[in-house]
Amino acid sequence: MLVLLPPSEGKAAPGRGAPLKPESLSLPALTPYRTAVLDELVELCAADEDKAREVLGLSEGLRGEIAKNAALRTSGTRPAGDIYTGVLYDALDLSTLDAAAKRRAGKSLLIFSGLWGAVRVGDRIPSYRCSMGVKLPGLGALGAYWRGPMAEALPEAAGSGLVLDLRSSSYASAWKPTGEPAGRTATVRVLHSQLVDGVEKRSVVSHFNKATKGRLVRDLLQRGVRPAGPAELVEALRDLGHVVEAEPPAKAGRPWQLDIVVTEIH
């Protein structure tokens, strides 16, 4: 099983580990593309703070992120699973998984990134600020930039098993499974169900959407569940106590859409 996750806007402080070694990151086919983004981002942030803030879409209060980016090559690193914070990662709570579940996380979780393309939770990276929606002056829009490299590297990473896609739309733009891998891909939407004047109303709530996805992944890792495909995933999630609505796609070779229905927001 390969689980595709978005990163988080918020990130932990720089670590005390050795500086970044791009060649040590997973998916080595992405190394030259990561280096190109890294070079331009560092140069941009070191040369002109105002332009960098505009390009990165940062408020005045986040100006400190620019200095962080300028020092990316010399900053200390941490495992990516420690760098990313925020609602999904708080709910996933990687640090409290048991040893077996941590090993599963290391093999199955893949975090998408505007800077790195995609990394595994054990890859050591510095704290940074660069979303997939950024358009760098030289390389252009990062979502489009990563499509070619991802199309080459990700099918091998996906292997022959389930692909569970929990990314937000901007990160999903960097790689969309096609052909046979698409048929064993499942995307997830979280719906909040509540009664209003005796009538059920459903809505998507961003915060709880992220938290539910984090708990869902945690449940799968803790229980050691390894669904072979989307149909098996539906049954596994129901066995774990989740309310899941899903139907096979109308045509073969299309991703499954799973709705996780919740009644409490927390």
Side-chain angles (χ1 to χ4, degrees), residues 199 203 229:
V199 178
S203 60

Side-chain angles (χ1 to χ4, degrees), residues 111-172:
I111 304 170
F112 275 61
S113 162
L115 174 53
W116 314 116
V119 292
R120 297 196 182 275
V121 295
D123 287 335
R124 299 192 66 92
I125 58 173
S127 185
Y128 69 98
R129 188 69 172 240
C130 184
S131 73
M132 192 67 79
V134 164
K135 184 177 181 179
L136 291 174
L139 296 176
L142 291 177
Y145 171 82
W146 282 113
R147 283 176 200 148
M150 292 291 195
E152 294 293 327
L154 267 292
E156 181 178 353
S160 58
L162 169 73
V163 178
L164 176 55
D165 190 352
L166 303 179
R167 297 171 296 168
S168 53
S169 58
S170 61
Y171 290 91

Side-chain angles (χ1 to χ4, degrees), residues 78-90:
R78 291 182 174 187
D82 295 341
I83 286 287
Y84 295 107
T85 60
V87 176
L88 187 153
Y89 291 92
D90 285 347

Side-chain angles (χ1 to χ4, degrees), residues 72 74 131 170 192 200 214 232 254 264:
L72 282 172
T74 56
S131 73
S170 61
H192 177 221
E200 184 191 25
E232 293 81 1
R254 299 281 181 86
E264 297 182 1

Side-chain angles (χ1 to χ4, degrees), residues 86-262:
V87 176
L88 187 153
Y89 291 92
D90 285 347
L92 176 53
D93 202 3
L94 287 166
S95 65
T96 63
L97 292 173
D98 62 39
K102 286 180 179 177
R103 287 194 295 271
R104 296 181 196 112
K107 293 177 180 178
S108 62
L109 304 188
L110 196 64
I111 304 170
F112 275 61
S113 162
L115 174 53
W116 314 116
V119 292
R120 297 196 182 275
V121 295
D123 287 335
R124 299 192 66 92
I125 58 173
S127 185
Y128 69 98
R129 188 69 172 240
C130 184
S131 73
M132 192 67 79
V134 164
K135 184 177 181 179
L136 291 174
L139 296 176
L142 291 177
Y145 171 82
W146 282 113
R147 283 176 200 148
M150 292 291 195
E152 294 293 327
L154 267 292
E156 181 178 353
S160 58
L162 169 73
V163 178
L164 176 55
D165 190 352
L166 303 179
R167 297 171 296 168
S168 53
S169 58
S170 61
Y171 290 91
S173 70
W175 182 63
K176 295 183 179 180
T178 58
E180 188 273 333
R184 46 187 168 83
T185 297
T187 62
V188 170
R189 179 175 62 169
V190 180
L191 298 177
H192 177 221
S193 173
Q194 57 184 329
L195 290 178
V196 179
D197 297 328
V199 178
E200 184 191 25
K201 302 288 185 179
R202 292 184 175 184
S203 60
V204 177
V205 183
S206 177
H207 177 97
F208 193 63
N209 172 58
K210 296 174 183 177
T212 300
K213 288 178 178 178
R215 286 192 284 268
L216 181 153
V217 175
R218 182 180 177 86
D219 286 347
L220 292 172
L221 293 172
Q222 284 284 67
R223 301 292 183 88
V225 178
R226 300 177 63 184
E232 293 81 1
L233 174 65
V234 171
E235 294 306 313
L237 291 176
R238 287 172 176 164
D239 289 344
L240 291 169
H242 297 278
V243 177
V244 185
E245 296 180 356
E247 292 184 3
K251 294 183 179 180
R254 299 281 181 86
W256 285 52
Q257 171 69 58
L258 276 57
D259 286 341
I260 309 294
V261 182
V262 298

